[in-house]
Amino acid sequence: MLDRISLILVVIGAINWGSIGLFQFDIVAWIFGGQDAIVSRIIYTVVALAGIWCISLLFRENEMLKSASDAQGKE
């Protein structure tokens, strides 16, 4: 569950960075009242923590792939 929430937050962060890069428009700052607003800073921090958590996904073995390879080995 934490993996999915983190991944959703990382996607939100990626969309926000894409809008900044393409249109020079910060969606989070626009919604929550500027980059210096406390809510915006909390959102930025939560997205950053989610990104750090998602780094662990790179080093974990995928359970679906593992169970599929186990099933093929038993056949």
Side-chain angles (χ1 to χ4, degrees), residues 1 6 9 12 14 16 22 27 35 43 45 48-49 55 61-63 70-71 73-74:
M1 184 66 167
S6 295
L9 290 170
I12 290 169
N16 191 53
L22 293 172
I27 297 170
Q35 288 182 340
I43 298 294
T45 303
L49 291 172
I55 291 171
E61 193 167 333
N62 189 333
E63 288 107 22
D70 289 346
K74 292 179 182 177

Side-chain angles (χ1 to χ4, degrees), residues 1-10 50:
M1 184 66 167
L2 186 60
D3 293 344
R4 287 182 188 258
I5 292 169
S6 295
L7 205 50
I8 289 168
L9 290 170
V10 168

